Amino acid sequence: MPMKDTIAAIRKEAGLTQEEMARRLYVTRQAISRWEQGTTEPGIDMLKLIARELDVPVTALLDMPEHYCQSCGMMFTDPDQHGHEADGSETEDFCRWCYDGGAYTYETTMDEMIEDCAPRMAEAMGWTVDEAASLLGAVLPTLRRWREVAEN
């Protein structure tokens, strides 16, 4: 679903008017209206604030595909990008750069993963490295690899 529709749906689901949402986010009602019309989009930091204020994961606001790597967040665009389990079967959850042979391909921290992935994401999306790092900082904690780390 396009971001404009997602923002409107989540706002309405929360029972907020555009004016009420604007007050909570410290923006104008017109800004909310422009986002919902698709004439502009909120920046990454504003997306994080919207997610926090409306108690939804930031990934709910993004036009992300159904499947993406549950370690680095990379969107799958080709079938050969998937990793493999120990028995050789393909996994839907991880890319081949993060997971192969039934195990993670390298030990890393979430901060190191962000530092590694942010420049490539920035280049692919036309963002600054800081914007990409900010988004990864919001998305990675929701992914399976990092949730498992947090649980242990």
Side-chain angles (χ1 to χ4, degrees):
M1 179 182 328
M3 187 182 301
K4 68 184 186 81
D5 298 331
T6 303
I7 291 173
I10 290 173
R11 174 184 60 77
K12 290 172 185 173
E13 193 173 295
L16 298 172
T17 65
Q18 287 184 344
E19 188 69 40
E20 290 165 332
M21 184 168 165
R23 268 194 305 259
R24 288 178 70 172
L25 298 174
Y26 303 100
V27 298
T28 64
R29 186 206 53 79
Q30 291 81 2
I32 305 294
S33 177
R34 287 191 298 272
W35 298 339
E36 292 182 0
Q37 291 173 11
T39 56
T40 63
E41 288 187 350
I44 292 165
D45 289 333
M46 182 56 69
L47 284 175
K48 289 168 49 178
L49 181 60
I50 293 168
R52 188 185 78 208
E53 285 297 313
L54 299 182
D55 196 29
V56 296
V58 73
T59 53
L61 298 169
L62 303 171
D63 189 16
M64 293 183 73
E66 187 175 333
H67 296 290
Y68 46 91
C69 179
Q70 291 294 305
S71 175
C72 68
M74 181 187 83
M75 297 174 195
F76 295 117
T77 57
D78 287 321
D80 69 338
Q81 293 174 332
H82 292 270
H84 294 88
E85 297 293 350
D87 65 4
S89 64
E90 192 175 83
T91 177
E92 291 188 12
D93 289 341
F94 299 102
C95 72
R96 65 186 173 112
W97 295 278
C98 290
Y99 189 87
D100 198 36
Y104 295 115
T105 57
Y106 59 97
E107 289 301 316
T108 189
T109 66
M110 187 169 32
D111 288 341
E112 291 168 340
M113 180 70 76
I114 291 168
E115 189 174 316
D116 182 45
C117 294
R120 287 192 300 278
M121 176 185 259
E123 184 176 334
M125 302 300 288
W127 297 340
T128 67
V129 173
D130 287 343
E131 288 172 321
S134 180
L135 181 61
L136 286 168
V139 171
L140 263 56
T142 70
L143 303 181
R144 180 174 150 194
R145 180 177 189 174
W146 307 109
R147 284 194 323 265
E148 289 172 355
V149 167
E151 290 169 2
N152 295 324

